[in-house]
Amino acid sequence: EAKAQGRNTVVLFEARLRDRSERRAALREALAEALEAGELVLHLQPQQDLQAQRMVGAEALIRWNSRRLGRWIPPGEMLPAASEAGLMPALDRFVLREAVRMIAGWGDRPDAPRVLGINISVTTLRDPAFAEEVAAALILAGVVPSRLEIEIPENLAIRDLPGVARTLAALRELGVPLALDDFGGGHSGLPHVVRLPVQRLKLDRSIVAGLPDPKSYAVLRATVTLARAMGIEVVGEGVETQSQAFALRRAGCNIIQGYLIARPMPMVELVPPLPEQGAVSRQARA
Ligand code: C2E
Ligand code: MG
Ligand code: MG
Ligand code: MG
């Protein structure tokens, strides 16, 4: 009896594993197709300067509404599948192209973000050709490098540093700002900041979520002090409440991103097309 039950459990477990791996295989296939079919879009989340009371930048976040799977696939599900399928290089190039295209479209509009940040995987940062591809994309679109920021994933291990150092140095040389994402969330921390040529630190949501409690505030203060000493700007991410924003500001972190300001949204919602643009192009055609 007990043996039979044990066997049933094993069979069930195997069925579940098979289900899971089949689901993942379907996801990988659908993603390859989606990249071709243009199903992926970038949503933008604004970054607010608390002192100047205005939007100074935005972060581009990937969104995928899969026709084949019939639903939105969150990044947390999509990125591991992309990684497994070897699609991260293609995904990162898509994000680069789209972001540069958006910035070019905004031109000098004062109501558009001055800087647009993109998330780039470690795999791509290791590619010695990547910095030149960024340069080419910017030149082709006529975009100044200072308007495109590259966010470096926090999971970049110390052992990855030699592999990405050339790319990061080349991007800096080019004038592309670099940010270290999710600082203080994982195991990395201090050694990274000292060794990476970044201009910004994006505080991990876990630090912000603990505010304004004294321990989280102490971590925040220490981080801001350290960053200042190195000439690095700190951005508060995942800010959901006024009291978190207040604590950040009190600690000297003036730029925030989070649901308190706005959720990630389609580009046309953040920067609506100008009404006269339509008129001008109609005139031009007439
Ligand atoms: P991230 O780069 O740290 O992006 C911030 C995440 O926090 C986003 O999740 C955003 O929607 C979410 N968020 C923003 N404000 C708040 C808030 O106030 N409260 C809460 N609870 N969450 C907030 P999302 O879009 O699901 O992305 C998750 C992660 O996936 C990103 O973390 C980034 O590591 C990765 N990712 C997203 N888009 C891309 C992409 O285009 N390329 C690559 N390589 N990775 C991406
Ligand atoms: Mg990010
Ligand atoms: Mg982040
Ligand atoms: Mg994150």
Side-chain angles (χ1 to χ4, degrees):
E1 167 101 351
K3 221 176 179 178
Q5 229 175 31
R7 205 158 44 233
N8 282 342
T9 310
V10 170
V11 170
L12 246 172
F13 179 66
E14 280 174 349
R16 231 178 275 142
L17 268 184
R18 199 175 52 236
D19 269 9
R20 209 175 138 228
S21 74
E22 272 170 17
R23 260 210 320 275
R24 292 187 82 113
L27 193 64
R28 289 197 301 268
E29 228 173 279
L31 181 57
E33 210 178 78
L35 267 164
E36 300 283 312
E39 276 183 10
L40 301 172
V41 292
L42 295 181
H43 279 196
L44 307 185
Q45 187 177 36
Q47 294 164 350
Q48 182 91 352
D49 185 323
L50 290 173
Q51 227 155 4
Q53 296 269 9
R54 60 184 184 87
M55 169 170 67
V56 287
E59 176 175 9
L61 296 157
I62 196 84
R63 294 294 180 262
W64 176 24
N65 190 3
S66 170
R67 235 160 290 159
R68 198 210 281 214
L69 303 172
R71 63 182 174 97
W72 285 95
I73 319 291
E77 196 179 336
M78 167 185 177
L79 297 169
S83 212
E84 277 173 26
L87 291 171
M88 279 318 291
L91 184 80
D92 286 334
R93 264 77 182 185
F94 166 79
V95 171
L96 170 67
R97 256 193 338 266
E98 279 296 294
V100 167
R101 197 178 58 81
M102 286 178 181
I103 302 168
W106 295 331
D108 291 330
R109 282 182 63 167
D111 58 339
R114 195 172 41 80
V115 181
L116 182 59
I118 57 175
N119 295 282
I120 295 295
S121 70
V122 175
T123 311
T124 298
L125 292 177
R126 243 190 247 125
D127 183 342
F130 183 64
E132 271 180 37
E133 288 176 35
V134 173
L138 291 168
I139 289 168
L140 206 69
V143 167
V144 291
S146 59
R147 291 193 72 182
L148 180 77
E149 179 171 71
I150 291 184
E151 295 194 6
I152 303 166
E154 178 274 343
N155 70 6
L156 178 85
I158 296 287
R159 66 168 183 282
D160 291 323
L161 285 178
V164 302
R166 273 211 358 228
T167 303
L168 298 185
L171 289 170
R172 278 309 304 137
E173 183 89 355
L174 185 65
V176 171
L178 302 176
L180 182 59
D181 209 354
D182 301 338
F183 181 78
H187 33 268
S188 55
L190 205 58
H192 265 65
V193 195
V194 178
R195 295 166 71 177
L196 291 172
V198 297
Q199 286 77 60
R200 297 224 270 180
L201 285 185
K202 298 192 78 179
L203 280 178
D204 191 67
R205 215 160 63 210
S206 62
I207 296 178
V208 174
L211 295 174
D213 291 348
K215 275 189 185 163
S216 296
Y217 190 77
V219 174
L220 169 65
R221 279 293 314 187
T223 305
V224 171
T225 304
L226 163 81
R228 269 224 185 110
M230 300 194 304
I232 294 172
E233 186 173 64
V234 179
V235 179
E237 204 175 38
V239 182
E240 295 183 351
T241 68
Q242 285 291 355
S243 64
Q244 289 166 354
F246 184 76
L248 284 160
R249 189 167 179 188
R250 187 154 53 96
C253 169
N254 280 312
I255 298 177
I256 66 166
Q257 178 186 339
Y259 296 168
L260 177 67
I261 306 299
R263 295 197 171 235
M265 63 186 95
M267 191 271 267
V268 292
E269 279 177 37
L270 188 70
V271 188
L274 294 169
E276 65 264 34
Q277 263 179 358
V280 167
S281 57
R282 266 196 305 279
Q283 268 172 9
R285 249 180 280 133

